[in-house]
Amino acid sequence: MSDRKVKKQEEDEDVSSEEEEEEQMVVEDGEEINIDFEGFSLCDHDHDGIKQLLVQQFSLSSEVNLSQLADALITQNFIGSILKQSEMPSIDEESDDGSAVDEVFALVTCYSLTRPKDELCDSLQKYLIQKCKESNASNETKQKFKQIMDTSTCDSDVNSRANCLGFVCNERFVNVPPQASLPMFQKLLDEILEAKKHKHRARFDFSHFLILAKTIHLSSSAMNGKSSAGEDLIFQNAEEEFFAEHALLNFDYKVHSQADDVTKTRRALLLERDGFEQALAKLTEHLTT
């Protein structure tokens, strides 16, 4: 894994948690350019941008209603953040309907699946269980995953659930570097701690977290003949490799195949709360030293 560094802010810098600015290097048309990003809470205006990022995670053919999921994430805007360009676009950069282009470059949030049964929660539960069932995971892994899902999701009495499961959405444009995700994850943990202090329709005292990591499997020919175990898997969001190392269990499922050497998949990572926090601590250490 390549070394990555984040730019440290000066101690006397007074920046709010919702409007923290950070300069990142992105690649556009083969050239590196500096862009100032700014963090915001989710709001109605960001619906289309959030949905676009969710499509990256689920694909358009998903059985989950992504517009409904985007709405749900916005409704619980006390959890999660998005990244947008600090400077508003000029009048020349308008969409077809005349509104200013205000793209969402990254999203980190957590949707509680331990909530009263509803259409969205039910579809997510069925989607995840079905993907695990269709995977090549061991029977032990499949049974363990289903047991945790059955004891943490969609019930009229959420307080009766033995576990509490948070579905983590971590998505960004491909040219946004992994450094951008670190302050968003750190902020997410703080927001979850605060949410636990208040009464909500859903529970936020998470015992487990679930991440759907975008992965690519390369064939031996694409690896120039290398076929050692573990060498053919690439995490498209590099920081998710840290979470994979602390996963309680995982399984892969295919999204779609390309004609030649690349198969795009998702690796579902189920982590216990301690494992999630340990992974974030390791990620923080890696990106700040």
Side-chain angles (χ1 to χ4, degrees):
M1 185 180 299
S2 61
D3 289 336
R4 300 177 293 270
K5 295 183 179 179
V6 292
K7 181 180 179 181
K8 295 182 179 179
Q9 295 184 346
E10 297 180 1
E11 293 181 358
D12 61 349
E13 188 176 13
D14 182 17
V15 182
S16 71
S17 60
E18 287 189 358
E19 297 183 349
E20 181 176 352
E21 293 188 21
E22 186 169 348
E23 185 177 274
Q24 299 288 349
M25 189 78 75
V26 302
V27 179
E28 188 173 287
D29 296 329
E31 296 183 359
E32 290 186 345
I33 58 174
N34 287 318
I35 292 181
D36 287 330
F37 289 123
E38 195 168 352
F40 297 90
S41 296
L42 286 65
C43 68
D44 291 339
H45 178 71
D46 304 308
H47 177 276
D48 290 347
I50 292 169
K51 181 182 175 182
Q52 181 180 2
L53 292 176
L54 292 175
V55 168
Q56 291 185 184
Q57 188 168 59
F58 285 90
S59 84
L60 278 171
S61 61
S62 170
E63 298 90 334
V64 178
N65 186 322
L66 299 184
S67 287
Q68 198 173 53
L69 179 55
D71 286 336
L73 296 177
I74 291 169
T75 299
Q76 59 155 47
N77 63 0
F78 52 89
I79 292 280
S81 54
I82 58 173
L83 212 60
K84 295 195 285 188
Q85 195 170 340
S86 297
E87 294 183 4
M88 291 299 292
S90 67
I91 192 67
D92 295 330
E93 299 177 277
E94 292 186 342
S95 61
D96 293 337
D97 62 2
S99 60
V101 176
D102 194 12
E103 289 184 304
V104 177
F105 284 84
L107 165 71
V108 173
T109 189
C110 185
Y111 183 70
S112 176
L113 292 174
T114 308
R115 62 177 58 240
K117 190 178 181 70
D118 59 27
E119 181 182 353
L120 176 60
C121 183
D122 188 52
S123 66
L124 278 167
Q125 180 191 43
K126 290 178 179 178
Y127 173 84
L128 295 167
I129 291 176
Q130 183 63 29
K131 292 303 180 185
C132 183
K133 184 178 179 180
E134 294 171 355
S135 74
N136 292 324
S138 66
N139 287 333
E140 181 182 0
T141 293
K142 292 179 180 180
Q143 291 170 5
K144 180 66 173 177
F145 182 74
K146 189 174 186 305
Q147 182 266 330
I148 292 175
M149 292 291 293
D150 288 344
T151 57
S152 61
T153 58
C154 302
D155 190 84
S156 56
D157 182 11
V158 295
N159 293 320
S160 69
R161 301 281 82 183
N163 295 300
C164 183
L165 178 61
F167 173 59
V168 177
C169 297
N170 174 39
E171 279 299 328
R172 62 177 183 272
F173 284 176
V174 67
N175 58 349
V176 177
Q179 291 92 329
S181 68
L182 180 58
M184 299 174 78
F185 269 112
Q186 292 170 330
K187 183 171 181 284
L188 179 66
L189 275 188
D190 290 340
E191 290 168 334
I192 289 172
L193 288 174
E194 184 63 27
K196 288 166 58 177
K197 300 176 183 178
H198 306 281
K199 185 175 179 59
H200 298 283
R201 184 169 178 268
R203 281 173 53 184
F204 291 93
D205 56 326
F206 298 121
S207 59
H208 297 80
F209 293 91
L210 180 67
I211 299 175
L212 300 183
K214 298 199 302 294
T215 55
I216 296 177
H217 291 266
L218 298 179
S219 70
S220 57
S221 61
M223 294 291 292
N224 296 319
K226 297 179 181 179
S227 58
S228 301
E231 286 188 335
D232 64 343
L233 182 67
I234 298 174
F235 285 82
Q236 289 185 265
N237 290 342
E239 70 278 5
E240 290 173 344
E241 188 171 348
F242 288 87
F243 294 98
E245 292 171 357
H246 290 80
L248 175 66
L249 60 85
N250 67 74
F251 60 87
D252 296 338
Y253 61 93
K254 190 180 297 185
V255 175
H256 61 80
S257 296
Q258 293 185 344
D260 300 318
D261 296 317
V262 179
T263 299
K264 291 188 176 181
T265 59
R266 299 292 179 266
R267 173 159 290 188
L269 307 171
L270 184 69
L271 298 94
E272 294 177 312
R273 181 182 63 243
D274 288 347
F276 186 86
E277 293 175 352
Q278 289 166 14
L280 183 55
K282 288 286 184 66
L283 177 63
T284 302
E285 179 182 5
H286 183 79
L287 290 178
T288 56
T289 58

